């Protein structure tokens, strides 16, 4: 009997030990994947790589790894701890091994894939990615290209999965037979006790702790261990980010202001435009906008060009002091245009994805928490520049050289009031152009021919018109047409040759547009959807990754060209354009009219990994929704000197940012996106 009891204990404890050992393997797998994630994107994290801080982040990462490992391995844990003696056989434990290896291999794969995707989003991937790309039919090709480009990640994945299989601890089962009721009850008692211990531990691990009052941890809790918002990606893991965003409510209304009037007094997105003059500093002295000869409203044509991945870093005119004054950039045509345009020393995008750029540029709705168009709030009643101008007598059209429905742009264009949409199929059906022979094989029609098509179609529209173009060529997998491969060869970053190509396309577009009768009666705005690959440290900081151009060009000469010592952002485009053409109806916009706002009152706001960044009064304030995490001078380009608690204007910035956040959340939740 003593020998049988030993067998019972050996078997039961052996399975428990094997379970713990295999879960330890999962922890090791997650940590290795995190190291790979760090090395793949080291330039984004290099600044904070002190040993004490690394240890702090790794310690915090264990909470999120524990949650992800327990969530994804719950079935395996239950299978291993079932108090059923019949499971102690080789076939059953081989099945358990397959469950463990398959589940954790999938978790490894998503972590490694996210390491390659991080430079495009600066965060861990959430479930919004499935909605973002649900209409794309070229993902297999893009994914295949990434596998080739990141072959070393594939190799690492294969080696780690093989190691997981070989190192898996499988309990011994041979020789154990239980024939008496007493023996079976003893076996069951051991496992029932193990389950009694495991259940609360698993619940606590999934939640992030067992202490009373602790709410389940979310991706925002990573800020507790990060010094910069970008570092949250190192603390988190991708399975956790995916699990924690399944079916979650995106927007929660804070209670910073209990009095609606007090909130409105600090910030309101409702604009009541007047017909006052533009600021004297922005008006060309020789041809002032506000004069007796000008009759408002002036229904000028409006053209907004959103250039894919067109970060401010690539444009020489914005970076005369880079590389000791030797920097030329990659955009001679845009540089030439800037010489005749109003531009801003500090200009920013309001998100990190193409689907963030659309609402920001065309509706003055920034990205907070998740891309607006992927949230339930996208079903609210709202409009944008297209809808407002359509109801004001404009003909409106949206142009995107990709397949109809790509990125959800067709749906967005329809929702926001565009009367017409022109995409790849429309281009291919126009016999005047090259048809599908101009398809880049990945995303859409090459920028050069499509922008000529764009110009031609505008010449067929009735004035006044409003159009928006979203380009495609400066996008992964970063290729140029075959005839330009020698003209634009590979450079340090893959995107740089594409930027040169698209800049050429923009130059050709303006050469054609300048010959059209509508040209001088048109205001042009050029910006990007987001930024992309970077060469310089100042463009790799938490704020630097949001540096996008805001270029406003009016060929009539109404706006004096030059660099404004002010702040601009994508969400300022709608109110600035409406103010310039004399729009005289109320509307909603979270941005400001740059032409009617003193430079010291201009601002920018964006959101990165649970932290809001508010730029105003010469400072950058980072706020996690409850408290300020850091304050930097705007001129501190590398964001190295935290001035939190030492800046008198910090409290004022906090009050203003809280008002913006609360207005945003209340209007999203309560469907108040119309004036």
């Amino acid at each position: 009997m003593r020998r049988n009891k030993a067998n019972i204990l050996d078997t039961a404890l052996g399975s428990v030990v094997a379970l713990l050992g295999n879960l330890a393997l999962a922890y090791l797998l997650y940590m290795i994947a995190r190291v790979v994630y760090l090395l793949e994107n080291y330039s984004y994290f290099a600044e904070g790589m002190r040993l004490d801080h690394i240890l702090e982040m790794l310690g915090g990462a264990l909470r999120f790894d524990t949650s992800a490992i327990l969530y994804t391995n719950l079935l395996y844990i239950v299978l291993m701890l079932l108090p059923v003696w019949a499971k102690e056989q080789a076939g059953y434990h081989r099945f358990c091994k397959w469950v463990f290896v398959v589940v954790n291999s999938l978790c490894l794969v998503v972590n490694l894939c996210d390491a390659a995707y991080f430079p495009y989003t600066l965060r861990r991937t959430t479930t919004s990615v499935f909605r973002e790309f649900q209409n794309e039919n070229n993902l297999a090709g893009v994914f295949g290209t990434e596998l080739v480009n990141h072959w070393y990640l594939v190799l690492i994945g294969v080696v780690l999965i093989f190691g997981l299989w070989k190192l898996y601890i499988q309990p011994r089962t041979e020789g154990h037979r239980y024939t008496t009721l007493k023996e079976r009850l003893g076996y069951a008692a051991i496992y029932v006790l193990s389950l009694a211990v495991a259940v609360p531990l698993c619940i606590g691990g999934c939640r992030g702790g067992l202490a009373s009052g602790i709410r389940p941890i979310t991706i925002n809790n990573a800020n507790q261990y990060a010094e910069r918002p970008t570092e949250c990606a190192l603390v988190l893991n991708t399975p956790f980010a995916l699990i924690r965003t399944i079916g979650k409510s995106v927007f929660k209304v804070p209670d910073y202001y209990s009095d609606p009037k007090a909130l409105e007094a600090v910030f309101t997105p409702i604009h009541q435009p007047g017909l006052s003059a533009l600021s004297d500093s922005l008006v060309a002295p020789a041809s002032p906008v506000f004069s007796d000869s000008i009759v408002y409203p002036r229904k000028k044509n409006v053209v907004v060009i959103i250039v894919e991945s067109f970060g401010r870093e690539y444009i020489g005119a914005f970076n005369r002091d880079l590389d000791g004054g030797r920097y030329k950039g990659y955009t001679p045509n845009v540089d030439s245009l800037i010489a005749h345009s109003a531009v801003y020393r500090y200009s920013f995008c309001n998100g990190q994805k193409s689907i963030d750029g659309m609402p920001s540029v065309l509706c003055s709705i920034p990205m907070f928490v998740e891309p607006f168009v992927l949230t339930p709030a996208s079903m609210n009643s709202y409009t944008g520049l297209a809808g407002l101008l359509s109801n004001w007598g404009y003909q409106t059209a949206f142009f995107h050289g990709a397949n109809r429905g790509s990125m959800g742009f067709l749906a967005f264009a329809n929702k926001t009031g565009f009367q017409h949409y022109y995409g790849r199929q429309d281009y291919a059906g126009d016999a005047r152009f090259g048809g599908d022979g101009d398809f880049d094989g990945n995303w859409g029609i090459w920028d050069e021919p499509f922008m000529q098509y764009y110009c031609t179609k505008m010449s067929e529209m009735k004035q006044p018109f409003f159009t928006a173009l979203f380009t495609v060529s400066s996008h992964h997998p970063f290729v140029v047409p075959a005839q330009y491969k020698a003209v634009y060869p590979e450079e340090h970053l893959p995107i740089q040759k594409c930027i040169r190509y698209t800049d050429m396309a923009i130059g050709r577009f303006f050469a054609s547009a300048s010959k059209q009768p509508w040209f001088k009666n048109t205001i042009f705005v050029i910006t990007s959807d987001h930024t992309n690959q970077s060469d310089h440290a100042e463009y790799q900081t938490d704020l630097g990754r949001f540096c996008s151009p805001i270029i406003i060009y009016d060929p009539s000469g109404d706006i004096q060209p030059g660099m404004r010592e002010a702040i601009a952002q994508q969400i300022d485009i709608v109110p600035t354009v409406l103010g310039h053409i004399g729009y005289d109806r109320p509307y909603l916009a979270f941005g400001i009219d740059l032409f009617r706002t003193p430079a010291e009152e201009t601002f920018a706001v964006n959101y990165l990994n649970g932290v809001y960044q508010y730029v105003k009064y010469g400072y950058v304030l980072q706020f996690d929704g409850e408290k300020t995490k850091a304050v930097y001078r705007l001129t501190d380009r590398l964001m190295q000197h935290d001035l939190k608690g030492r800046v008198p204007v910090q409290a004022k910035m906090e009050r203003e940012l809280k008002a913006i956040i609360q207005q945003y959340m209340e209007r999203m939740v309560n469907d108040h996106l119309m004036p």
Side-chain angles (χ1 to χ4, degrees):
M1 178 61 70
R2 188 174 302 168
R3 182 179 58 80
N4 288 339
K5 287 182 178 179
N7 282 342
I8 290 172
L9 289 174
D10 289 345
T11 300
L13 293 177
S15 289
V16 172
V17 170
L19 170 63
L20 295 176
N22 291 329
L23 290 179
L25 270 179
Y27 276 97
L28 179 61
L29 201 67
Y30 273 66
M31 279 299 175
I32 292 174
R34 180 170 285 106
V35 171
V36 173
Y37 197 98
L38 169 62
L39 295 176
E40 174 69 13
N41 302 288
Y42 187 75
S43 63
Y44 296 95
F45 304 111
E47 182 181 334
M49 291 297 104
R50 308 184 315 274
L51 180 60
D52 61 329
H53 184 45
I54 292 173
L55 294 176
E56 179 186 18
M57 288 193 291
L58 292 179
L62 286 175
R63 290 184 69 194
F64 301 95
D65 288 357
T66 296
S67 182
I69 289 169
L70 292 178
Y71 268 122
T72 56
N73 286 281
L74 280 177
L75 174 61
Y76 173 71
I77 293 170
V78 171
L79 289 173
M80 290 293 287
L81 295 182
L82 278 178
V84 179
W85 59 88
K87 72 182 178 64
E88 300 301 338
Q89 51 184 308
Y92 183 89
H93 282 292
R94 280 196 296 270
F95 173 72
C96 290
K97 179 178 182 178
W98 273 101
V99 170
F100 179 82
V101 172
V102 169
V103 167
N104 288 282
S105 295
L106 288 174
C107 292
L108 171 67
V109 168
V110 297
N111 274 319
L112 294 179
C113 288
D114 214 11
Y117 191 47
F118 171 80
Y120 303 101
T121 63
L122 294 186
R123 65 173 188 167
R124 289 283 181 169
T125 295
T126 65
T127 52
S128 65
V129 74
F130 300 111
R131 299 188 297 277
E132 180 181 354
F133 294 109
Q134 64 183 354
N135 294 317
E136 302 306 316
N137 56 13
N138 62 338
L139 294 183
V142 173
F143 190 72
T145 301
E146 283 299 292
L147 287 178
V148 173
N149 292 341
H150 295 88
W151 59 268
Y152 48 91
L153 294 180
V154 177
L155 180 61
I156 290 171
V158 170
V159 171
L160 290 176
I161 292 171
F162 178 76
L164 187 65
W165 179 268
K166 297 297 290 185
L167 295 176
Y168 179 86
I169 303 170
Q170 186 156 319
R172 296 181 62 183
T173 57
E174 61 274 11
H176 301 302
R177 296 290 184 272
Y178 309 109
T179 58
T180 69
L181 178 62
K182 185 176 180 180
E183 290 170 349
R184 293 176 180 179
L185 289 176
Y187 172 88
I190 293 172
Y191 275 105
V192 168
L193 179 62
S194 298
L195 279 171
V197 174
V199 168
L201 289 179
C202 286
I203 292 173
C206 290
R207 289 173 55 86
L210 281 171
S212 61
I214 288 183
R215 298 177 61 188
I217 55 173
T218 67
I219 54 179
N220 191 52
N221 290 97
N223 284 291
Q224 178 180 341
Y225 308 98
E227 293 181 350
R228 299 182 296 122
T230 305
E231 292 176 346
C232 288
L234 279 185
V235 179
L236 294 168
N237 61 76
T238 307
F240 177 87
L242 291 169
I243 291 168
R244 277 302 187 196
T245 53
I246 294 174
K248 297 296 183 181
S249 175
V250 176
F251 301 126
K252 296 180 180 179
V253 181
D255 57 356
Y256 304 133
Y257 293 86
S258 57
D259 182 0
K261 291 184 178 179
L263 175 62
E264 294 281 333
V266 179
F267 175 81
T268 177
I270 303 301
H271 291 246
Q272 302 286 351
L275 302 180
S276 58
L278 301 183
S279 168
D280 291 339
S281 64
L282 297 178
V283 176
S287 180
V289 168
F290 184 70
S291 71
D292 294 337
S293 62
I294 298 294
V295 178
Y296 281 96
R298 299 178 305 138
K299 293 189 174 181
K300 305 187 75 168
N301 305 313
V302 177
V303 171
V304 175
I305 301 175
I306 306 172
V307 185
E308 172 68 48
S309 302
F310 202 51
R312 182 150 48 90
E313 178 183 11
Y314 309 134
I315 304 173
F318 284 108
N319 299 283
R320 299 302 187 195
D321 59 343
L322 274 186
D323 297 342
R326 300 185 304 275
Y327 187 76
K328 300 299 182 182
Y330 305 88
T331 60
N333 291 284
V334 171
D335 288 348
S336 177
L337 185 69
I338 286 175
H340 305 282
S341 305
V343 292
Y344 297 83
R345 179 72 64 193
Y346 306 102
S347 55
F348 304 95
C349 53
N350 295 102
Q352 283 295 308
K353 295 184 177 182
S354 297
I355 54 174
D356 297 331
M358 292 285 283
S360 298
V361 173
L362 300 177
C363 300
S364 194
I365 297 175
M367 192 287 281
F368 286 171
V369 184
E370 286 289 344
F372 167 69
V373 298
L374 302 182
T375 69
S378 64
M379 301 306 294
N380 290 351
S381 297
Y382 68 96
T383 188
L385 200 52
L388 296 173
L389 294 183
S390 291
N391 292 329
W392 208 45
Y394 275 64
Q395 188 174 0
T396 60
F398 183 81
F399 293 78
H400 184 216
N403 291 318
R404 297 178 72 86
S406 176
M407 302 298 294
F409 287 173
L410 175 56
F412 179 83
N414 290 338
K415 173 73 173 180
T416 56
F418 280 99
Q419 299 161 355
H420 305 283
Y421 178 99
Y422 298 98
R424 172 188 170 186
Q425 287 81 359
D426 303 286
Y427 176 89
D430 194 322
R432 294 172 294 181
F433 296 89
D436 250 359
D438 291 329
F439 177 55
D440 65 11
N442 293 287
W443 293 103
I445 304 300
W446 294 110
D447 284 349
E448 181 188 11
F450 195 77
M451 292 188 80
Q452 293 300 307
Y453 170 76
Y454 177 45
C455 181
T456 299
K457 295 297 289 184
M458 280 192 290
S459 296
E460 298 170 355
M461 296 175 68
K462 180 182 177 181
Q463 299 188 61
F465 58 73
F466 163 57
T467 68
L469 166 72
F470 200 115
T471 71
V472 302
S473 293
S474 44
H475 194 292
H476 178 274
F478 305 124
V479 292
V480 297
Q483 66 268 32
Y484 287 109
K485 287 184 177 180
V487 179
Y488 306 119
E490 293 291 336
E491 301 192 51
H492 182 236
L493 296 176
I495 195 174
Q496 289 164 345
K497 64 181 181 299
C498 301
I499 294 295
R500 290 192 187 276
Y501 167 75
T502 296
D503 173 73
M504 176 274 295
I506 292 172
R508 284 205 60 206
F509 165 78
F510 276 99
S512 297
S514 64
K515 301 173 185 177
Q516 307 307 313
W518 45 264
F519 180 70
K520 286 198 173 180
N521 189 43
T522 303
I523 177 173
F524 296 86
V525 180
I526 301 176
T527 187
S528 70
D529 54 342
H530 53 74
T531 63
N532 208 297
Q533 299 171 338
S534 176
D535 255 338
H536 298 85
E538 68 183 73
Y539 287 105
Q540 297 173 353
T541 66
D542 292 335
L543 185 63
R545 287 290 294 174
F546 289 88
C547 289
S548 285
I550 306 291
I551 304 167
I552 304 174
Y553 172 52
D554 188 338
S556 70
D558 283 345
I559 302 172
Q560 183 178 4
M563 181 72 72
R564 311 306 195 239
E565 295 297 329
I567 300 165
Q569 56 186 327
Q570 288 173 332
I571 59 174
D572 295 336
I573 291 172
V574 169
T576 301
V577 166
L578 292 177
H580 184 62
I581 63 177
Y583 185 80
D584 56 2
R585 301 174 185 178
Y587 61 92
L588 178 141
F590 285 90
I592 59 173
D593 182 345
L594 293 168
F595 292 170
R596 289 180 169 82
T597 304
E600 62 271 17
E601 291 297 324
T602 58
F603 72 93
V605 63
N606 50 57
Y607 179 93
L608 178 63
N609 288 327
V611 173
Y612 297 90
Q613 298 189 119
Y614 186 51
V615 185
K616 197 174 183 182
Y617 307 123
Y619 294 96
V620 183
L621 181 139
Q622 294 184 330
F623 179 74
D624 68 3
E626 296 180 1
K627 62 183 181 302
T628 292
K629 292 181 63 67
V631 178
Y632 302 95
R633 291 189 187 277
L634 186 52
T635 53
D636 181 3
R637 296 184 178 183
L638 298 182
M639 303 183 79
Q640 294 176 319
H641 308 290
D642 184 4
L643 304 176
K644 183 177 65 175
R646 292 180 283 163
V647 177
V649 79
Q650 177 179 326
K652 183 178 182 181
M653 293 180 73
E654 289 175 356
R655 289 194 300 271
E656 293 176 355
L657 178 56
K658 287 178 178 179
I660 295 171
I661 296 170
Q662 186 164 332
Q663 283 277 17
Y664 185 95
M665 297 302 173
E666 283 186 353
R667 291 177 181 278
M668 293 294 169
V669 171
N670 298 316
D671 194 1
H672 290 160
L673 294 176
M674 299 291 283

